[in-house]
Amino acid sequence: MTSRSFLRLVLAGAVASGAVVLAAVPAGAASPGKAKAPLTVPVRLLALNDFHGNLEPPTGSSGRMVDENGNTVDAGGAAYIATHMKALTDKNTIAVAQGDLIGASPLLSAAYHDEPSVEFLGKLGLKVAAVGNHEFDEGYTELRRIMKGGCHPVDGCSPAGKWKGATFDYVGANVLFKNPNERTDALASLGAQQAQAKKLMADWGVPALPPVSVKWVNGVPIGFIGLVTQTTPNIVTAEGIKNLKFIDEVKAANVASKILKLVGVKAQVVLMHEGDQVNAGQSPDACSAVAGAGARIATQVDPEIDVVLSGHSHQAYLCKIKDPAGNDRLYSQGGSFGRVITQVDLKVNLKNLDIDRSSVVADNHVVTRTVDPDSDINTFVQTWRDRVAPVANKTIGSITAELSNTATPSGESPLGDVIADAQLAATRTGGNAQIALMNPGGVRTLLSYPSSPAGEGDGVVTYGEAFAVQPFNNLMQVVTLTGAQLKTVLEQQFTGGPNNQPFTKILQPSANFTYTYSTGAPWGSKVSDMKIDGVPVTDAQTIRVAANNFLVGGGDAFAAFTQGTDLWSGPLDIDAFVAYLGTNSPIAPPATNRITVTS
C-alpha cells in the first residue's frame, strides 16, 4: 500500500480537522432570533458478523436461535436478512460487519470464491466490514481480488462475468506487512499534523489493509476501526499470509484511534473480529458473555473509542463494559450465519462531534423466517442455486444414520472419525500414511439423516452436503514425525502448554490409531498408551502422519506438526471425503472408542 493511498483511506471523506468541524454544522443552522439548531443528531448502526456465505437459510442447529423470549426459532437466510434490514433501516443508518463474511461457506457461495456473498452484502447496503480470519482462507492476494475486482487467476470468471469488487470497505488495522517495500511517509497534506502522524506510523508499521474508514451521516463523521483476532496465523493456512503479521489488537486500535482524532474524527467505533463465549441458552439481548479475549480488547482500547462491535465466537450478547477512563461503552456481538442483526442507536453531539454515550441503545434482532422473504434477493439466490445445482445435487454416497459432528466425552465425533478414516485412505498410496488426524474445527456441520413420514431415512449424501462439512479446500499432506513428536502434537490438544492453546481441541484419529489421555495429569504428561494397529508407539520410531495442510502448517496452535519431515502433498480434503463416501457407502456411524479418557 502506498502512503498516498493510506492517507486517502484514513481521511475517507474527512479533511483537515477544522474542515471536519465546519462540515458538521448543518446547513441552515440557527441564527440569533431563530429556533436553536439541534444539539445532537441521530445515527443508527446495523451490524452483522460471521455470515460465512450462508445465502440459503442455514440448517440444523446452525439455523436456529434463542430469541428474546427464550424460544428457539428458525433464523437466517439472505432473503430474510434483507427483509429485516429494510424494516430496520432509516435515513440515519450505516450498515457494518465484524468479519468472517466469507470463507467456510456453503457450496452455493464457495464454488465461486464467495463472490455471490460479497455481491449480496453490497445489495444489502453494507458500508464497512472488518476482516475476519476466514477472509484469509484463500490468502491475502485473493482477499485483495475480492476487494478490488478481477477474475480468479485459476478458475477464471464466474457465470456472472468479471468480478467488480466489493462495494463496501474492508478494514483491518492490526494487519501489517512484515517487510514492506514502501514506507508511509508522504503525509504532507495533513499540514500541521504531519509530524505527529509520521511518528504514529513509525510506531505502528505499514498496514496491508485499510485500517480505518470514515462514513458521514447527518453531517457528522463516524470513524470505523477494523480489527481481526491476533491468533489468525494459527487458524489459517500459513502460505497465504506469509508476508503479513497480525499485531496486538489493542495497540493497533489505539494508533488508529489517534489518527482518526488527529483529523477531527472523534465518534469512533471498533469493528472487531474477536469475541467471547457465553452462558448458554440466554436471550441475545442479555450480557451473557464470559470475559475472555474479546473483553480484554473491549476494556483496554483507547477511551476515545465509543462502541465495540465484536465477532468470531459466534455468540450473541449485549454488554456495557468500562473503558480505561472508567466510562461505560457498548460491547456486543450478533451470533453467526446471518441469524441476528445488531441495531445500535446513538446520538452525536454537534458541538464536539463525539458520541453521547448515554444515548447508546442496542438491540439484537433475531432474523426470523416468519416474515416475507425479499423477492429480489430470493431471485438472486435462486440464480446462483441454479448455476451450482448440477454439482451440488450429485449423489456421492449414502449413510445409514446421522453422522454427528458433536463431540462425545472423549472429544471424538462420529463424523470426525469418518473424515479421519477418509484422509488415511486417500494418503496411504503415494504418501505412505500410517495414521491420520483431523482438526475438529474443520468439521463444519453434520450429515443429517432425514426421515419420511413412514420413518424411512433416505440416507443419500450429495456433493453439496459433503462440501458443507468440509468447505476449506485444504490439501491433504503427509509428514514424518517421531513417536515423541506425535505425543507432543497430542499434548498440544490441551490448554496449559507453551503453544497457548486457548481451549482443548481433540484431534479426530483414524480407526487404527488409539491412545489414552488423563484429564487430571499436568500438561506434557496427559497422553499415554499410543498404539498403531494395536502395536505400542515408541519415542524413537518414525510415523507417517496424514493431516490437512492447515494442521501441517501449525494451525490451531499445533506447532509440533511443523517439525515434520519428508512432506508429501496429495488430494484436496473434500476430494478425499467424497472418494471415501463413494467407495464405502452406505456408511454407519462408527463407535467413538479410539480415545480413552482417565481422570
Side-chain angles (χ1 to χ4, degrees):
M1 177 184 294
T2 66
S3 57
R4 288 184 182 276
S5 63
F6 169 73
L7 184 57
R8 287 196 300 269
L9 291 162
V10 169
L11 300 181
V15 287
S17 57
V20 170
V21 174
L22 292 173
V25 179
S31 59
K34 293 185 178 182
K36 291 183 179 180
L39 298 177
T40 61
V41 292
V43 175
R44 173 170 291 181
L45 307 178
L46 295 179
L48 287 171
N49 59 275
D50 298 270
F51 179 60
H52 286 293
N54 278 268
L55 294 169
E56 296 181 290
T59 60
S61 60
S62 297
R64 295 190 291 269
M65 195 76 198
V66 175
D67 68 11
E68 295 88 341
N69 300 314
N71 301 315
T72 299
V73 298
D74 292 336
Y80 297 103
I81 296 171
T83 296
H84 283 274
M85 285 287 285
K86 285 181 178 178
L88 295 171
T89 298
D90 62 18
K91 63 181 181 180
N92 311 311
T93 297
I94 305 173
V96 299
Q98 297 95 265
D100 277 9
L101 303 177
I102 60 176
S105 306
L107 184 65
L108 179 67
S109 182
Y112 305 105
H113 301 279
D114 282 314
E115 292 175 19
S117 289
V118 177
E119 184 178 355
F120 158 69
L121 292 163
K123 291 178 180 292
L124 203 63
L126 188 66
K127 299 302 182 185
V128 191
V131 289
N133 53 283
H134 280 288
E135 264 78 18
F136 295 93
D137 278 353
E138 295 189 56
Y140 173 71
T141 300
E142 171 63 5
L143 173 57
R144 295 289 299 182
R145 185 189 74 83
I146 288 296
M147 293 168 62
K148 300 299 182 182
C151 296
H152 191 271
V154 175
D155 295 335
C157 293
S158 80
K162 184 177 179 180
W163 173 239
K164 297 178 182 179
T167 58
F168 54 89
D169 300 335
Y170 261 128
V171 287
N174 64 324
V175 185
L176 309 180
F177 287 117
K178 286 181 178 176
N179 299 299
N181 295 320
E182 298 179 277
R183 300 302 302 173
T184 309
D185 54 6
L187 297 172
S189 58
L190 278 178
Q193 293 86 13
Q194 178 184 0
Q196 294 171 273
K198 278 186 175 182
K199 184 178 186 304
L200 286 170
M201 292 306 300
D203 292 342
W204 187 11
V206 177
L209 294 168
V212 300
S213 176
V214 178
K215 299 300 177 185
W216 288 73
V217 61
N218 288 332
V220 297
I222 311 293
F224 296 95
I225 300 167
L227 299 174
V228 61
T229 174
Q230 190 182 358
T231 66
T232 295
N234 294 330
I235 50 180
V236 302
T237 302
E239 180 65 21
I241 58 167
K242 62 183 179 181
N243 296 322
L244 304 179
K245 59 181 178 180
F246 295 76
I247 68 169
D248 178 72
E249 302 93 343
V250 174
K251 177 182 178 181
N254 289 351
V255 174
S257 174
K258 287 180 172 62
I259 290 178
L260 284 173
K261 190 173 181 180
L262 194 64
V263 296
V265 181
K266 297 179 181 179
Q268 299 181 7
V269 176
V270 160
L271 304 175
M272 174 176 72
H273 193 70
E274 182 61 281
D276 292 325
Q277 298 301 315
V278 300
N279 294 311
Q282 297 197 34
S283 163
D285 291 334
C287 182
S288 55
V290 178
R296 177 191 73 84
I297 300 165
T299 55
Q300 292 181 10
V301 292
D302 196 287
E304 189 68 50
I305 293 165
D306 302 289
V307 173
V308 178
L309 306 181
S310 69
H312 189 51
S313 59
H314 291 202
Q315 306 301 329
Y317 48 81
L318 297 176
C319 295
K320 282 187 177 180
I321 50 87
K322 297 292 185 182
D323 70 13
N327 298 315
D328 286 341
R329 64 179 163 204
L330 176 67
Y331 168 50
S332 71
Q333 188 177 162
S336 61
F337 308 141
R339 294 175 295 168
V340 174
I341 298 169
T342 302
Q343 174 185 335
V344 182
D345 287 308
L346 54 88
K347 293 181 179 180
V348 177
N349 187 300
L350 285 174
K351 185 175 181 179
N352 61 15
L353 296 182
D354 208 349
I355 292 172
D356 176 359
R357 292 198 197 174
S358 67
S359 71
V360 177
V361 178
D363 191 1
N364 273 335
H365 297 278
V366 176
V367 178
T368 61
R369 301 179 199 164
T370 55
V371 299
D372 292 332
D374 184 271
S375 59
D376 289 340
I377 297 302
N378 242 351
T379 300
F380 172 79
V381 173
Q382 186 59 51
T383 297
W384 288 101
R385 189 183 291 121
D386 293 341
R387 287 167 173 166
V388 81
V391 175
N393 295 335
K394 182 180 178 182
T395 297
I396 59 171
S398 62
I399 55 179
T400 64
E402 178 182 281
L403 291 182
S404 172
N405 64 332
T406 300
T408 62
S410 71
E412 296 176 67
S413 72
L415 184 51
D417 284 356
V418 169
I419 290 172
D421 293 342
Q423 294 182 346
L424 179 59
T427 54
R428 281 190 185 275
T429 301
N432 298 315
Q434 295 169 266
I435 65 170
L437 296 170
M438 173 63 190
N439 56 307
V443 188
R444 302 300 290 188
T445 189
L446 51 72
L447 283 179
S448 60
Y449 190 77
S451 296
S452 69
E456 297 174 348
D458 60 13
V460 169
V461 179
T462 65
Y463 184 86
E465 290 171 325
F467 190 91
V469 170
Q470 287 203 278
F472 295 106
N473 279 320
N474 286 322
L475 276 176
M476 287 310 307
Q477 295 185 320
V478 183
V479 292
T480 298
L481 297 174
T482 66
Q485 289 170 333
L486 176 59
K487 182 179 184 298
T488 300
V489 166
L490 298 180
E491 292 285 343
Q492 289 177 341
Q493 298 174 121
F494 306 99
T495 60
N499 57 321
N500 294 319
Q501 185 68 266
F503 53 88
T504 297
K505 299 178 182 176
I506 300 299
L507 298 172
Q508 311 295 288
S510 54
N512 65 331
F513 178 54
T514 61
Y515 69 93
T516 297
Y517 73 78
S518 167
T519 57
W523 195 95
S525 301
K526 287 183 172 293
V527 176
S528 62
D529 197 28
M530 297 188 299
K531 294 179 181 179
I532 299 174
D533 296 319
V535 179
V537 173
T538 66
D539 285 350
Q541 80 178 88
T542 57
I543 305 157
R544 295 289 284 167
V545 181
N548 58 50
N549 62 307
F550 167 69
L551 278 177
V552 170
D556 267 350
F558 286 97
F561 258 117
T562 63
Q563 300 171 12
T565 59
D566 300 323
L567 176 69
W568 175 87
S569 295
L572 293 174
D573 53 2
I574 180 61
D575 292 341
F577 188 39
V578 169
Y580 188 80
L581 286 167
T583 302
N584 295 279
S585 289
I587 293 177
T592 50
N593 57 3
R594 304 172 188 187
I595 302 172
T596 300
V597 183
T598 62
S599 59

